[in-house]
Amino acid sequence: MSLRGSASATLPPPAAQPADAGVAVHCKGVVKGYNTASTRVMALRGVDLQIRAGELMMLVGPSGCGKTTLISVIAGILDRDEGECSVFGHDFAAMSSGQRTRFRGENVGFVFQAFNLLPALTAAQNVAVPLLINGLPQREAIKAGREMLARVGLGDRTDSLPRELSGGQQQRVAIARALVHKPRLIVCDEPTSALDHDTGHVIMRLLKSVALDKDRALVIVTHDARIFGFADRIALMDDGHITGISRPETPTATPAAN
Amino acid sequence: MNALALRMLLGDRAKFLGIVFGIGFAAFLITQQVSIFVGLMARTFGFLTDASLPQVWVMDPKVQFIDDLKPLQDTQLYRVRGVEGVAWAMPLYKGLLRARLANGAFQTCNVIGIDDSTLIGGPPEMLHGRIEDLRRADGVVVDDVGASGKLARPAPVDPSTGKPIGKPTPLRVGDFLELNDHRAVVVGICRVSRTFQSQPVVYTTYTRAVTFAPRERKLLSFVVASVSPGRDVESVAARIRAQTGLAAYTSGEFKRMTVLYFMRYTGIPLNFGIAVVLGFLVGTAIAGQTFYNFTLDNLRQFGALKAMGTGNLRLLRMILLQALLVGFIGYGLGVGSASLFAFVPLGELAFMLLPQTLAITGAAIVLICLAASLLSIQKVMRLEPAIVFKG
Ligand SMILES: Nc1ncnc2c1ncn2[C@@H]1O[C@H](COP(=O)(O)OP(=O)(O)OP(=O)(O)O)[C@@H](O)[C@H]1O
Ligand SMILES: [Mg+2]
């Protein structure tokens, strides 16, 4: 069970059994609370969730129900308080902070609502960032960045700065950035809510066609009902719990590319 | 990643310039103030710089600096000449005497009497006349600043307005002067290094200087000496001390003593120190504030980099690199603009830029950069990567 790159050498062995080979994310009884000035807010109150490799899982629910908190825990940028959670058999809680950082760098791709591109870098340079983080030389990284941009349909805008791109184009750059290092898990928080309806659909189709892979899982947090159809499964969340798993009523499962 | 850090910083032109300005300002102020300080301090021993031939200065042991006059008996000259290893030793008179100007006003002059035959200890540069003309009857050589300034013949006064008409006439070769009621004739105009004393400098022979001077038992201010070829100056000075009981310093030691005296007993170092510290603090404040704002502006980007797998150590390196870049540019601009002062023809400005000053400024700038980036570093180190998902 080897993950990409050399990180696996320094990681503890996966906790999960070979029977779970197709499991990308495994959460059981995950609890997470935040301390505020007055009280402790329980954002996750025992979340059970399994996401399989090759699956696009959407996480939906009312505002404040804990969606962002859950994907932050899954992506390893937030520590859980209790429960089990592993990604491809690896438990962040068992790693040192250096190992965790490294694991994220090699295995997790991020897409943010606010894009979070580096404003001073061109599109190709932005896309190259995860490769640079993983130690690839700059030339190769940027070359790979250009190629990835071509795959998301921005082959002609590789040298544009983020501010010269539309919101939809910026999000495509962000998707290219999330994919360029071939991570096994991609987490997206509200990837379409800063975009109009049509652009949102373009982005979702792109994610589904370019990002999805049999070895990769996609978790998308959204309350944009217009894109529910793109999900393989939808996890409904409320008040820190998963209250149900459903399949989309009108699957847009095999949309035309782009 | 390093190139990325630099692009990040250069991408925000306004803040980049702000930080560079803060650092450049500090570098400028520190270099400029230290150089003026050094220039002023070098003036304290300007007379020693001018009298370049003597290697050893012999004087009363209580003398603390060059203008501290505690004359010796004439016989000391022969005792110094008798010390083994001394090639030659000459008398030197230095004293303040009153000159009477053509209009009857008095002006104190710094009179230097140099050995009649060798003229050792004379001015470094003659503008008019020859130093040898000092051997002519009543001859004196006056420095050009004094000749065209305090010793100049004042312009005639318009009786109706009480204001002078035209400019004062500078003292010229052939003009007369009265020094302590003795007649003197100007045989040359020289240029001397500026000193802390603003009085005109008047050179003459030792013999004539002591006749100008008020009658006193002792008139020999210094014995200046040189050592025989191949002899160690310091050990000859030590031998002079041992044999005569007088103080004997190498010219470098005497300069150092003089500077230290001025540093200790005047407020000059303190005043410049305050200016330097102010430059340091203001530079740190501007650079630190702007750098911190830059970091705050980019906090989400730093958060995203963290989430995507950038470790704290790497972020630390990136921030330090950013600080180093602005430090480097700011230093170059500050030191560069400060060094322009060396070319500004402001005669009165004491400005001496030493390599050591550049090093001091460099060290100060490194400190400023570290201090300025400290807040930013701390902020980014503590940053939770989870903020990237916050709207
Ligand atoms: N850093 C924090 N400190 C304190 N409380 C927090 C913090 N982050 C989230 N919370 C609280 O935890 C709960 C879950 O927040 P979370 O951001 O996970 O919700 P969400 O489902 O993503 O909401 P939204 O749809 O509005 O983005 C909320 O009650 C929120 O107020
Ligand atoms: Mg949220």
Side-chain angles (χ1 to χ4, degrees):
Chain A
M1 165 146 280
S2 89
L3 283 157
R4 286 188 54 254
S6 52
S8 49
T10 60
L11 289 176
Q17 299 304 308
D20 295 341
V23 175
V25 177
H26 165 84
C27 291
K28 197 165 164 53
V30 173
V31 172
K32 173 70 189 175
Y34 295 103
N35 287 322
T36 63
S38 49
T39 55
R40 187 164 171 79
V41 179
M42 295 311 295
L44 302 179
R45 301 167 177 267
V47 169
D48 300 330
L49 182 65
Q50 290 243 354
I51 303 169
R52 288 190 290 271
E55 177 177 45
L56 194 163
M57 170 70 93
M58 269 188 201
L59 214 50
V60 304
S63 180
C65 70
K67 304 181 294 292
T68 297
T69 306
L70 180 56
I71 58 159
S72 300
V73 169
I74 290 173
I77 55 176
L78 197 64
D79 295 335
R80 63 184 188 267
D81 295 339
E82 284 170 39
E84 297 170 19
C85 186
S86 60
V87 175
F88 290 100
H90 292 268
D91 182 357
F92 284 114
M95 299 180 195
S96 70
S97 92
Q99 286 171 330
R100 212 175 306 161
T101 305
R102 196 111 170 242
F103 185 90
R104 282 201 309 269
E106 296 182 347
N107 297 291
V108 185
F110 292 86
V111 177
F112 311 102
Q113 176 176 355
F115 320 138
N116 284 346
L117 300 174
L118 293 170
L121 304 194
T122 65
Q125 289 165 347
N126 261 296
V127 175
V129 165
L131 296 174
L132 295 173
I133 290 174
N134 286 326
L136 212 68
Q138 179 156 318
R139 282 177 74 97
E140 289 172 45
I142 291 178
K143 184 165 170 280
R146 288 178 193 283
E147 288 164 11
M148 201 64 224
L149 276 173
R151 289 192 59 193
V152 300
L154 284 178
D156 53 342
R157 301 304 301 268
T158 54
D159 295 328
S160 302
L161 292 172
R163 68 173 128 78
E164 299 162 349
L165 299 172
S166 71
Q169 287 171 328
Q170 289 191 50
Q171 197 61 302
R172 280 198 266 170
V173 175
I175 289 169
R177 177 175 69 178
L179 291 171
V180 72
H181 54 307
K182 304 185 173 64
R184 301 187 67 189
L185 173 69
I186 293 183
V187 293
C188 315
D189 197 8
E190 310 276 6
T192 60
S193 44
L195 307 172
D196 63 51
H197 174 265
D198 289 349
T199 315
H201 265 75
V202 170
I203 291 298
M204 283 313 299
R205 274 203 289 276
L206 188 69
L207 273 172
K208 196 124 192 185
S209 60
V210 180
L212 216 52
D213 181 287
K214 67 175 173 34
D215 295 322
R216 181 182 289 152
L218 247 72
V219 192
I220 298 180
V221 166
T222 188
H223 47 225
D224 183 356
R226 302 166 306 184
I227 64 166
F228 289 170
F230 288 93
D232 294 321
R233 288 194 300 156
I234 298 176
L236 301 166
M237 255 192 110
D238 196 11
D239 195 21
H241 295 279
I242 303 285
T243 53
I245 303 278
S246 70
R247 305 220 168 240
E249 290 140 29
T250 50
T252 325
T254 46
N258 213 5
Chain B
M1 289 302 275
N2 292 342
L4 193 148
L6 297 185
R7 281 206 200 92
M8 247 170 114
L9 183 61
L10 291 169
D12 190 340
R13 201 61 54 85
K15 295 227 171 49
F16 173 73
L17 292 179
I19 305 166
V20 165
F21 172 79
I23 291 172
F25 174 79
F28 171 81
L29 209 63
I30 293 171
T31 307
Q32 193 247 16
Q33 290 292 309
V34 170
S35 295
I36 291 181
F37 174 70
V38 170
L40 277 180
M41 285 297 121
R43 280 187 183 178
T44 62
F45 54 77
F47 176 66
L48 288 170
T49 311
D50 285 354
S52 56
L53 277 183
Q55 293 173 302
V56 181
W57 291 69
V58 185
M59 65 204 80
D60 186 281
K62 292 209 180 68
V63 169
Q64 300 181 71
F65 63 104
I66 181 66
D67 300 313
D68 185 18
L69 300 170
K70 301 201 166 65
L72 311 167
Q73 272 173 334
D74 279 349
T75 52
Q76 299 290 11
L77 173 64
Y78 305 105
R79 296 185 64 196
V80 174
R81 282 180 177 162
V83 173
E84 200 220 322
V86 172
W88 48 256
M90 302 298 164
L92 193 104
Y93 172 85
K94 189 171 184 298
L96 295 175
L97 299 181
R98 285 201 314 176
R100 204 154 77 99
L101 307 183
N103 65 351
F106 287 102
Q107 168 65 51
T108 307
C109 294
N110 192 6
V111 177
I112 315 290
I114 56 179
D115 180 59
D116 297 37
S117 55
T118 61
L119 301 176
I120 282 173
E125 185 187 354
M126 293 297 292
L127 299 177
H128 301 288
R130 299 176 317 139
I131 188 70
E132 291 77 15
D133 293 339
L134 277 186
R135 300 202 181 98
R136 283 160 45 182
D138 303 330
V140 295
V141 168
V142 180
D143 82 294
D144 61 336
V145 176
S148 56
K150 291 187 168 153
L151 292 179
R153 197 194 317 270
V157 172
D158 185 335
S160 57
T161 61
K163 284 181 183 156
I165 313 161
K167 287 181 179 157
T169 320
L171 211 56
R172 289 205 191 90
V173 173
D175 285 350
F176 290 97
L177 200 67
E178 217 171 82
L179 272 171
N180 206 16
D181 296 332
H182 296 271
R183 204 180 89 105
V185 58
V186 177
V187 297
I189 304 291
C190 66
R191 174 163 292 158
V192 296
S193 298
R194 289 193 56 91
T195 66
F196 261 26
Q197 292 177 317
S198 56
Q199 296 95 350
V201 182
V202 177
Y203 282 92
T204 188
T205 60
Y206 180 77
T207 317
R208 201 171 297 129
V210 297
T211 57
F212 288 163
R215 290 226 124 319
E216 276 180 54
R217 205 162 55 84
K218 303 174 183 176
L219 285 165
L220 177 63
S221 310
F222 298 100
V223 175
V224 294
S226 181
V227 305
S228 309
R231 288 307 192 96
D232 175 48
V233 180
E234 273 170 37
S235 53
V236 172
R239 196 169 303 134
I240 295 174
R241 277 197 291 276
Q243 288 189 20
T244 62
L246 300 174
Y249 306 109
T250 67
S251 132
E253 281 169 354
F254 198 23
K255 285 179 184 175
R256 211 166 305 133
M257 262 176 70
T258 300
V259 166
L260 288 179
Y261 177 85
F262 275 91
M263 299 230 289
R264 191 170 312 139
Y265 294 103
T266 66
I268 296 170
L270 183 67
N271 284 312
F272 281 92
I274 289 172
V276 167
V277 168
L278 271 182
F280 186 85
L281 292 181
V282 171
T284 309
I286 298 177
Q289 169 77 27
T290 321
F291 199 73
Y292 187 57
N293 279 343
F294 164 76
T295 307
L296 287 188
D297 280 0
N298 285 283
L299 219 48
R300 289 187 71 84
Q301 329 298 342
F302 280 118
L305 286 175
K306 262 194 170 181
M308 291 190 290
T310 313
N312 266 346
L313 203 66
R314 182 122 59 152
L315 287 171
L316 177 73
R317 281 216 306 269
M318 287 170 66
I319 295 175
L320 286 179
L321 190 73
Q322 291 171 338
L324 200 73
L325 174 78
V326 286
F328 204 73
I329 299 176
Y331 174 78
L333 288 179
V335 166
S337 49
S339 63
L340 291 181
F341 273 81
F343 304 105
V344 172
L346 291 172
E348 299 301 306
L349 192 69
F351 186 91
M352 195 180 279
L353 182 53
L354 299 179
Q356 289 93 317
T357 307
L358 295 181
I360 289 172
T361 308
I365 295 307
V366 169
L367 278 183
I368 289 180
C369 289
L370 286 180
S373 51
L374 215 58
L375 274 181
S376 300
I377 288 171
Q378 183 219 333
K379 188 83 189 170
V380 171
M381 296 295 104
R382 293 203 182 148
L383 182 67
E384 284 289 339
I387 70 142
V388 290
F389 282 142
K390 292 277 173 295

